[in-house]
């Protein structure tokens, strides 16, 4: 008897959600300093705010974390599907 597998659509959904969660976490981390400055009452323009986004420096970490989270979630869901 073969093991059940998740459909491709479900796997893509898991990957997309993992990517969005990782991106949101890094976005919050990048916006910490501008938020602190704004709460302190300092003026900040849009261009200064955009300079705090450093996704290009963190891209390898974002990809690695996304892949690890996706693989882990797919394994969990496949194991749960096989248990039924």
């Amino acid at each position: 008897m073969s093991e059940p597998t998740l459909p491709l659509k479900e796997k893509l959904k898991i990957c997309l959600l993992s990517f969005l969660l990782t991106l949101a976490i890094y976005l919050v981390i990048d916006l910490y300093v501008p938020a602190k400055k704004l709460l302190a009452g300092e003026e900040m323009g849009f261009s200064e705010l955009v300079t705090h986004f450093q996704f290009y420096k963190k891209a390898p970490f974002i990809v690695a974390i996304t892949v690890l989270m996706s693989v882990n979630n797919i394994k969990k869901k496949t194991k749960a599907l096989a248990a039924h």
Side-chain angles (χ1 to χ4, degrees):
M1 187 163 115
S2 65
E3 282 189 31
T5 59
L6 291 174
L8 181 62
K9 186 176 180 180
E10 185 71 23
K11 289 179 181 180
L12 290 175
K13 182 180 172 186
I14 290 170
C15 291
L16 179 64
L17 290 175
S18 296
F19 175 72
L20 291 176
L21 178 63
T22 307
L23 199 62
I25 290 169
Y26 275 100
L27 182 66
V28 168
I29 291 169
D30 283 346
L31 287 179
Y32 172 74
V33 172
K36 194 167 85 171
K37 286 183 179 181
L38 287 173
L39 290 174
E42 293 182 29
E43 294 282 330
M44 182 176 281
F46 181 74
S47 61
E48 188 178 354
L49 179 68
V50 171
T51 60
H52 286 278
F53 295 122
Q54 299 178 351
F55 290 129
Y56 61 92
K57 287 183 179 178
K58 297 175 181 167
F61 300 109
I62 292 172
V63 169
I65 292 171
T66 298
V67 168
L68 292 173
M69 284 175 56
S70 298
V71 167
N72 190 30
N73 286 336
I74 289 170
K75 282 183 182 179
K76 282 182 183 178
K77 290 199 180 215
T78 304
K79 187 183 279 188
L81 188 64
H84 282 87

